[in-house]
Amino acid sequence: MEKHGILYLCPTPIGNLEDITLRALKILNEVDYIAAEDTRVTLKLLNHFNIKTPLISYHEHNKKSQGPRLISLLQEGKNIALVTDAGTPGISDPGEDLVKDAIKAGINIVPLPGAIAAICALVASGLSTERFVFEGFLPKKNQDRDRRLFELATEQRTIIFYEAPHRIIKTLKVLKDTFGNRKAAVAREMTKIHEEFARGTLEDLIQRFEEAKPKGEMVIVLEGAKQHINNERGPATLFEDELSLDQLKSKLKAMFEKNISKGYAKNQALRKAAKELGLSRNEAYRILTDEHGKEEDRET
Ligand code: SAM
């Protein structure tokens, strides 16, 4: 039986070309093919290092047809390095599906360590690095995004998000409304000329980016919740139970009205109902006043 080739997962720099590793250069030179997200982007990198290995395109929109082709080549004994435009393949980039298919086909996967924006941002954030979670890009639709954020309401680990510059202010505002004025950091243009680490509270960061138009690539690192909300029916549980936002709203409204009828002032009634459901006061306010979903149509 023919010996299978190896699938190398090969990180590339996230800005500074000197961040390519010696091993990555060796592998990129030695493999039979390089599967690349955007062959034009990768060609620039290869030209810079005088690497002549043939390229095959593999991206989100052709992975259904190109995946089996790459697996066949691997089964024929060809070695392939998978790269994306920047950073580590499989992290908010194509790669996961090919890895799964390769494992199914009995192919050896060799991951190379290297550049990854999430970890660079985390370690420079000044926030806890002891325990963290990576959330990638938040969903674009307000309702999906809010649902994801509710799931994170009690998350105590440091949370890492990727975000585009045109959405950063809005996202920082949503994070502040949802989680309160927590500490956070925005890592911008890491390893490039305009590298910047903005650190402070979410309010400080909103102010920072409202002063000058945000540009470049960005990672948000957010402090985790201070302590676990001691409530079995916290947001995560609510969604596990498949409680829709409408159901949550009805429940919240009923609790709020009950508190009013007991003589609580409006704000106090809202805080109490929110706490009972494991939500922050701001989350509860937004759900009750139906602010979520309103801006969806304006989103890109
Ligand atoms: N696979 C990549 C990695 O390993 O980090 C991530 C690719 S994802 C499509 C691109 C996102 O990563 C950007 O929108 C930004 O959030 C983040 N990113 C990539 N390069 C960056 C940089 N130099 N500085 C800050 N963030 C960066």
Side-chain angles (χ1 to χ4, degrees), residues 14 86-88 91-93 117 137 162-163 189-190 217-219:
I14 56 168
T88 299
I91 301 299
S92 296
D93 264 342
F137 291 97
Y162 282 167
E163 193 48 286
E189 291 286 89
M190 285 182 296
E217 298 196 277
M218 306 188 174
V219 180

Side-chain angles (χ1 to χ4, degrees), residues 11-16 37 84-94 114-119 121 134 137 161-165 187-192 195 216-220:
T12 53
I14 56 168
N16 188 330
E37 185 183 9
T84 59
D85 292 351
T88 299
I91 301 299
S92 296
D93 264 342
I116 172 163
I119 300 299
F134 174 65
F137 291 97
F161 301 98
Y162 282 167
E163 193 48 286
R188 194 174 73 81
E189 291 286 89
M190 285 182 296
T191 79
K192 303 182 199 175
E195 177 175 87
E217 298 196 277
M218 306 188 174
V219 180
I220 303 173

Side-chain angles (χ1 to χ4, degrees), residues 116-143:
I116 172 163
I119 300 299
C120 285
L122 171 72
V123 293
S125 67
L127 300 171
S128 173
T129 56
E130 203 180 332
R131 295 167 69 225
F132 59 88
V133 284
F134 174 65
E135 279 294 319
F137 291 97
L138 281 168
K140 285 190 181 144
K141 285 192 171 176
N142 286 0
Q143 200 167 337

